[in-house]
Amino acid sequence: MSELISYQCDLSEGIHARPAGHIERLCNSFQSNVCWKNSRTGLEGNARSALSLVGTDTLFNDICAITISGEDALAAANQLSALLKKLPEFEVSPTEESAAPAGYLPRSLRETQLSFIQGSRISGGVAIAKPVVIHSLSFAEMLTRSPTQKYPLQQEKNAVIEGIEILKNEKISALESTSGVEHDIVQAHLSIMTDVSFQNAIINYIDRGKNGWQAIILSAMDFCDVLNRSASKYIKERTLDVFDITSQLLVTLYGDDVLPKNDLNLQQPSIILADNLTPSKFLSIDKRWLAGLVLSSTGKTSHTAILARSLGIPTLTDIDFHALRLDAQQDIIIDGNPGILITAPDARVLRYYHHEMSVQQKMQQQMLATVNQTATTADGHRVEIAANIASLAEANAAFDNGAEGIGLFRTEMSFMDRETPPDYAELAELYTQVAIRAENKPVIFRTFDIGGDKPVDYLSIGDEENPFLGFRAVRTYRRYQDLFAMQLQAILTASAHGNAKIMIPMISNVEEVIWCREVLAGVMQEMNHAGLAYNAGIELGVMLEVPSVIFAIPEIAEYADFFSVGSNDLTQYFFAADRGNRQVAEVYDNYAPSFIRAMQFAAQEVHRAGKWIGICGELGASPDFLPLFTGMGFDELSMSSTAIPGVKHALRELNFTKCQQLARQTVQLKRSAAVKAALQTPDVKAVSTRPLLAPEFILCGLEASDKNEVIKKMTDNLWLHHRTDNREQLCDDIWAREDSFSTAVGYGFAIPHTKSDHIGYSTISMATLAKPILWGDQEVATVFMLTVNKSADPQQHMKYFSILARTLMKEEFRDAIKNADNVTLLYNLMTRTLDV
C-alpha cells in the first residue's frame, strides 16, 4: 500500500536542520518507508533521516513528491501532511542586529585615515585586543591521523555504536541543563549523531574495509558534500555542525589527545581568528578573555554566529586572514557596526577607539547608575517599567537592569522543544525561584500560549487552515484542562513566596474569563484540602490581543483584575495582517490613526472600570510611542531588559501634562504619516529650553592631537549630557561647515558651528587645549563650538558667533582666556561676555 503527497516548500530557508528534525522524528514513528524527491533537483532522500532530507536541497517554492509505502501509509500520509502545513510555525529566525548603512563610516573615524579590511558583521561592538590565530584541521587532515591498527569488522562496528551511545547520553543530559541557543545546538547535534543515514553510512564504510576513524570521517565528508551543493547558504552552514559532531565522536571513541588541541586557554583579552570555530569549541572558551571573533567563512546563521551574537561578542566573518602578517603582541581592532577589521592601527586610530569605548562605557554607567530609581516623569507621574522574560536567567538580567517587575513571563517556553509537557514540580520550582528573585516586585505569569505560531507536537492540536485565528492559548484550555490546572497550581505555589499574578492570553469574551476563574477556584480548593500555601488574593488579568476585548472591557473588568495589551498580536488582528508577512507589512501599521484611537479607548475604558492597564508588546520600548502611551495613561510598560535603562531615563525627562496634550492631539490626526511626524519631534520634555552655556560644556586642558579629535570629543560631551541623541549626524553637520571653510578665526581661536536637527538644546561649548593644534593653516589653542537647534531663533546662531568674533579682537579678553586655568574662571568669563 502506498500514498503520494505533493508538497510545495513554503519555508524561506528551505528544509534545513530544524524542520528536517521534525519530519525525521514523525517518520520514524511510522512502519512505512517515506521517500522524499525534490522535483527541481531530482535528488531523493529518506525522510527517516534529517541529513538525507537536507541533502535533497529543498528550497523555498520547490515542489516535492513524497512517496509513503507500507501498511500504515494512509495514516502516515495524513499525519505528515498535517506536519508539513505546520512547518512555518516552527521557524525561528535568528535575531540579527541592524548594521550601519553599507560603506558608512562616521566622519570622525574617516578623518583618522585608517586602513581596514571590510568583512561582514555578525555581532556589533568594538574590540581592541591581541590576535590569537586558530587553524582548524580539515577532514582531509583528519584522515591522515587515522590509527593504523585494525580490528575485526564487528568489533569496529560495536565500538562506533558504543561511542555514539555514550555521546548521545551526554547530549541528552546536556539538554536538561541548557536553554536558549545552547539547547538548540545540543538538539541539532543529537539529531546529526543519531541520524539513521549517518550511522548506516559509517557501517557501510566499515563493511568496505575502513576502520571506525576513517568511516566516521568519510561519512561526514559525504554529507557535507551534499550540503555544500545546496543553493541555500543557510543549509551550507550546517556543515560546521557535522564537523563539530564528527570531532566529538572521534574524541569519544579514541580519547582526548587524538586531535590537536588549539590553544584556547586565553590569559589576556584576545581576538580569535579562526577558519571554522565549532559551537562546542566556542562554548569551551573562557568568555572573560574573549574580546572578539574573526571567522573566515562562518555565516550569520551558523550556530557559532548565533552564540556570539547572543553574548554580545563583536564578531566578523567573510575575512580571509591567512595572508595577513599579524603580530601576536600588536593590538588589532574589530568595529562590528561597519563590519571592519583593523590589523595595524596607528596611534590616531587607537586613540579614536579607546576614546569611543570610554564614552560608550560612561553612557552605560550613567544609565545603570539610576536604573533602580522609580520610573516617574519629571512632574511626578508614575509609569511602572517592567520586563518581558522566559527564564530565571532573564529574570536576573531584568532586575539588574532596573526592572520594577515582570510584566510578561512567557511560560510556554517551558512547554516547547520537548517530547512531553513539564510536570508540576518542574514548573513550581521555576516559578518560585523567579518570584523569590523578584523580592516582592510583581511577576505576571502568562499561562501557556500554545498553538498558532507556537505549536507543540505532544498536544496534537491538529492541522488548521489559519492557526493564528484558530485553536491557540485559552481556546485550548478546556481540552487540556488538567494541564492548565496544573500550571495554575504551580503559579499559586509561587505566590506563597512572592508577588505572583496570573494573566490569560487570547481572551475574546467574558465567558472565557469566567471559566478560567472557576478553574482557578477549583485549584485553590484542592490546595486548601492538601494544606498547600498560596496567596488567596492573587490577581488574575487578561491579555488584550483580540480586538473584541476593546469593546467588552466593562463586563470583563468584573472578573479581571488588570489588562495588558499584547501590541504585536493586537496590531495583526486589528488589521488582519500577519506581522511576519512582508507582503502586507504596510498594512501592519502601529502609526495608523485608527490603531492609535483604539489604544486610547482601551486605556480610558479600563480606567473607567477602576482597573490598571499595561503594554507588553514591542511598542512598550519604542522611543516614538513612550510619550504617547504615557499621555494616554497606560500604567505599565513591559519590554526586553536591555531597553529598561534607556526608557527609564527618557521617561524622567518627560512632562506628563505635555504628554497628555500630545495624546489628545495625536488621536485627532487622520494619516499615518502625520502621526509619525508628530511622534518623532514632539514638545514633551519637562524643560523645553536649557541654558546655552553650562560648566559641564567647558572642557579645560582637553587632550587632542588634531581638529578631528577636538570636534569628536566636544560632540561626545554633548551626547553624554543629553543635548543630542545622534552625535554622529551632529558631527557630520559641524564638518559640513569645516569642509566649506576653516572656522579658525585667528589669535589661536576657532569657532566651529552649525544649525542642526540633531541638537536637542542649543548649546555653546568651549575647550582649552592641553597643546595647540593645527586648524586648517592656523594654530589653535582654544575652541568655541556653537550647536544651535534648527527650531531656535534664526538669528541666535549668528548672534553669538558675532559676539565671540568681536570679543576675540580684544587682547584683554584673549589674555583672560589664556590665563584661566579652571572651569569656574572660564565659565564666569564666558557668561559675562555672552550675557547668557
Side-chain angles (χ1 to χ4, degrees):
M1 183 175 179
S2 65
E3 296 287 334
L4 180 66
I5 298 173
S6 180
Y7 166 66
Q8 185 169 14
C9 181
D10 53 357
L11 304 177
S12 59
E13 299 290 353
I15 299 295
H16 55 86
R18 188 179 180 90
H22 287 295
I23 297 168
E24 173 198 56
R25 285 191 289 274
L26 177 63
C27 290
N28 277 308
S29 69
F30 306 150
Q31 294 179 9
S32 297
N33 293 319
V34 184
C35 177
W36 183 294
K37 183 174 182 179
N38 184 339
S39 301
R40 176 180 61 85
T41 63
L43 297 172
E44 292 186 3
N46 175 6
R48 293 177 181 269
S49 162
L51 286 174
S52 183
L53 275 172
V54 173
T56 63
D57 195 21
T58 300
L59 305 181
F60 179 67
N61 274 339
D62 280 357
I63 296 174
C64 300
I66 306 169
T67 306
I68 306 171
S69 306
E71 293 182 5
D72 61 349
L74 180 59
N78 290 333
Q79 292 182 54
L80 182 55
S81 295
L83 174 64
L84 294 174
K85 289 183 179 179
K86 288 200 300 182
L87 283 181
E89 302 161 16
F90 290 88
E91 286 292 84
V92 179
S93 299
T95 302
E96 294 189 32
E97 304 171 11
S98 57
Y104 175 79
L105 292 179
R107 174 59 186 266
S108 50
L109 179 56
R110 278 180 276 142
E111 284 293 314
T112 66
Q113 299 179 340
L114 76 166
S115 175
F116 61 87
I117 301 167
Q118 184 68 56
S120 298
R121 166 184 178 163
I122 286 178
S123 180
V126 174
I128 303 175
K130 304 292 189 297
V132 175
V133 179
I134 304 234
H135 295 290
S136 302
L137 283 180
S138 65
F139 279 129
E141 290 169 326
M142 279 185 174
L143 273 177
T144 64
R145 297 173 176 269
S146 172
T148 56
Q149 188 175 7
K150 284 189 176 183
Y151 296 96
L153 287 183
Q154 195 57 49
Q155 187 174 345
E156 291 279 6
K157 292 179 183 179
N158 290 342
V160 169
I161 292 170
E162 182 181 352
I164 290 174
E165 191 65 22
I166 291 171
L167 192 54
K168 171 187 169 183
N169 290 332
E170 289 178 4
K171 298 294 180 185
I172 291 173
S173 297
L175 282 176
E176 299 174 359
S177 60
T178 57
S179 60
V181 180
E182 289 188 38
H183 184 278
D184 291 344
I185 291 169
V186 173
Q187 185 70 62
H189 287 182
L190 186 61
S191 178
I192 293 170
M193 59 181 294
T194 58
D195 188 278
V196 62
S197 294
F198 186 48
Q199 293 187 16
N200 288 342
I202 296 172
I203 299 303
N204 288 337
Y205 270 114
I206 293 176
D207 284 337
R208 288 156 57 185
K210 303 297 183 182
N211 62 23
W213 178 288
Q214 295 164 335
I216 291 168
I217 295 174
L218 290 170
S219 299
M221 291 173 70
D222 289 345
F223 278 105
C224 286
D225 285 343
V226 172
L227 298 178
N228 280 322
R229 286 198 294 271
S230 172
S232 167
K233 190 174 182 181
Y234 188 91
I235 291 175
K236 289 178 180 178
E237 287 168 4
R238 303 283 75 79
T239 60
L240 193 57
D241 293 300
V242 176
F243 183 88
D244 198 355
I245 205 65
T246 300
S247 303
Q248 294 178 50
L249 189 52
L250 291 176
V251 169
T252 301
L253 278 167
Y254 295 94
D256 290 340
D257 298 325
V258 295
L259 295 175
K261 294 181 179 179
N262 287 308
D263 183 16
L264 294 181
N265 184 25
L266 306 178
Q267 302 294 325
Q268 62 180 345
S270 303
I271 292 175
I272 289 179
L273 298 94
D275 297 298
N276 291 303
L277 187 66
T278 63
S280 58
K281 284 286 187 185
F282 176 88
L283 290 171
S284 70
I285 300 171
D286 186 343
K287 306 305 183 298
R288 293 175 302 171
W289 302 118
L290 181 59
L293 289 172
V294 178
L295 306 170
S296 60
S297 58
T298 298
K300 295 181 180 181
T301 55
S302 73
H303 280 134
T304 301
I306 295 170
L307 276 170
R309 193 157 48 241
S310 70
L311 294 175
I313 296 170
T315 304
L316 304 180
T317 188
D318 296 333
I319 290 180
D320 183 1
F321 53 82
H322 296 90
L324 302 177
R325 295 182 179 179
L326 297 175
D327 182 347
Q329 301 307 313
Q330 170 68 49
D331 280 340
I332 63 173
I333 300 174
I334 289 174
D335 188 344
N337 196 38
I340 61 175
L341 171 67
I342 306 164
T343 59
D346 62 16
R348 293 179 74 196
V349 173
L350 283 168
R351 277 198 308 273
Y352 173 92
Y353 278 108
H354 280 300
H355 170 73
E356 178 62 21
M357 293 173 72
S358 173
V359 169
Q360 292 279 5
Q361 186 178 22
K362 285 178 183 176
M363 179 61 85
Q364 184 180 26
Q365 290 172 346
Q366 186 184 123
M367 292 292 183
L368 291 175
T370 59
V371 291
N372 292 318
Q373 295 177 10
T374 302
T376 59
T377 62
D379 49 345
H381 178 73
R382 179 86 166 86
V383 181
E384 186 174 298
I385 305 299
N388 302 331
I389 67 166
S391 67
L392 177 60
E394 286 184 287
N396 289 327
F399 291 118
D400 288 344
N401 277 310
E404 298 174 323
I406 302 302
L408 173 64
F409 190 121
R410 299 184 179 96
T411 64
E412 61 274 3
M413 297 305 173
S414 299
F415 290 74
M416 300 177 70
D417 287 327
R418 56 194 299 161
E419 301 294 331
T420 58
D423 58 19
Y424 161 76
E426 178 184 341
L427 294 184
E429 173 67 17
L430 171 61
Y431 300 167
T432 298
Q433 287 181 2
V434 173
I436 292 172
R437 174 64 182 86
E439 298 176 344
N440 214 40
K441 297 183 181 74
V443 179
I444 299 176
F445 294 92
R446 181 178 70 184
T447 51
F448 61 84
D449 182 4
I450 291 172
D453 59 338
K454 296 184 284 288
V456 295
D457 290 337
Y458 56 78
L459 289 187
S460 302
I461 288 175
D463 181 36
E464 295 183 287
E465 286 295 325
N466 193 333
F468 283 99
L469 298 179
F471 197 54
R472 63 172 287 198
V474 68
R475 301 171 183 182
T476 69
Y477 291 178
R478 290 181 187 270
R479 179 185 297 181
Y480 304 107
Q481 183 171 337
D482 289 345
L483 191 62
F484 176 51
M486 180 273 288
Q487 185 181 33
L488 290 177
Q489 183 181 351
I491 299 172
L492 285 168
T493 298
S495 75
H497 302 274
N499 187 7
K501 302 176 189 289
I502 300 167
M503 183 161 66
I504 311 297
M506 281 296 289
I507 289 291
S508 57
N509 57 63
V510 68
E511 285 76 15
E512 291 169 333
V513 187
I514 294 171
W515 182 83
C516 289
R517 277 283 186 194
E518 291 171 350
V519 176
L520 179 63
V523 174
M524 287 179 169
Q525 189 173 14
E526 290 179 4
M527 293 181 72
N528 288 335
H529 290 158
L532 299 175
Y534 66 91
N535 174 19
I538 190 170
E539 293 185 9
L540 182 143
V542 303
M543 291 281 286
L544 201 167
E545 303 163 283
V546 181
S548 61
V549 174
I550 298 175
F551 305 100
I553 288 172
E555 55 264 37
I556 290 177
E558 294 182 29
Y559 302 93
D561 298 303
F562 63 89
F563 293 75
S564 185
V565 175
S567 62
N568 301 343
D569 269 336
L570 177 61
T571 307
Q572 77 168 350
Y573 291 135
F574 192 85
F575 293 108
D578 180 356
R579 67 177 186 256
N581 188 335
R582 296 177 183 176
Q583 297 184 88
V584 293
E586 291 184 3
V587 182
Y588 184 96
D589 182 9
N590 293 128
Y591 294 94
S594 57
F595 179 76
I596 299 299
R597 288 193 284 271
M599 294 290 281
Q600 176 72 93
F601 181 78
Q604 290 173 341
E605 286 293 289
V606 170
H607 287 155
R608 189 174 288 117
K611 304 298 170 73
W612 70 265
I613 183 169
I615 298 175
C616 59
E618 293 177 4
L619 284 185
S622 168
D624 279 6
F625 286 89
L626 175 62
L628 178 66
F629 292 150
T630 300
M632 286 180 173
F634 282 91
D635 303 287
E636 177 224 55
L637 301 174
S638 193
M639 59 201 66
S640 65
S641 63
T642 54
I644 289 173
V647 169
K648 276 190 159 185
H649 172 82
L651 184 70
R652 295 188 191 106
E653 291 193 330
L654 298 180
N655 175 273
F656 181 53
T657 302
K658 289 184 177 181
C659 290
Q660 288 179 304
Q661 184 178 358
L662 172 70
R664 287 192 296 269
Q665 293 170 346
T666 304
V667 295
Q668 300 300 319
L669 299 175
K670 298 180 180 180
R671 296 287 186 273
S672 295
V675 172
K676 182 175 288 189
L679 298 185
Q680 286 179 343
T681 57
D683 177 17
V684 290
K685 294 288 183 73
V687 180
S688 57
T689 61
R690 290 184 178 177
L692 273 166
L693 182 67
E696 56 264 32
F697 301 113
I698 296 179
L699 306 176
C700 194
L702 180 68
E703 295 282 349
S705 62
D706 55 30
K707 174 168 71 172
N708 180 49
E709 285 190 24
V710 173
I711 292 174
K712 175 167 173 55
K713 289 185 175 182
M714 295 181 78
T715 307
D716 288 343
N717 189 54
L718 290 169
W719 182 61
L720 288 172
H721 289 93
H722 308 288
R723 292 286 176 110
T724 178
D725 292 327
N726 195 330
R727 58 195 171 118
E728 290 181 355
Q729 290 296 326
L730 178 60
C731 201
D732 284 350
D733 288 345
I734 293 167
W735 268 103
R737 287 191 180 270
E738 292 294 328
D739 288 337
S740 300
F741 57 88
S742 171
T743 56
V745 294
Y747 304 105
F749 292 87
I751 314 178
H753 53 283
T754 187
K755 273 192 94 170
S756 172
D757 285 326
H758 304 293
I759 185 75
Y761 303 93
S762 297
T763 308
I764 299 175
S765 305
M766 178 183 181
T768 61
L769 307 184
K771 294 180 181 178
I773 61 167
L774 200 62
W775 198 287
D777 58 356
Q778 298 183 38
E779 195 172 77
V780 165
T782 304
V783 178
F784 302 99
M785 189 164 80
L786 309 183
T787 46
V788 178
N789 185 279
K790 275 194 175 177
S791 63
D793 179 351
Q795 303 304 317
Q796 185 184 59
H797 169 204
M798 291 309 299
K799 169 187 173 183
Y800 290 108
F801 185 91
S802 299
I803 292 174
L804 280 171
R806 289 197 305 271
T807 309
L808 287 174
M809 298 296 293
K810 300 176 182 177
E811 186 175 358
E812 180 183 358
F813 176 76
R814 298 197 303 268
D815 290 341
I817 291 285
K818 293 174 183 177
N819 293 328
D821 58 0
N822 61 68
V823 169
T824 302
L825 288 173
L826 288 168
Y827 175 70
N828 291 335
L829 177 62
M830 291 300 297
T831 53
R832 289 195 305 270
T833 302
L834 298 175
D835 191 24
V836 293

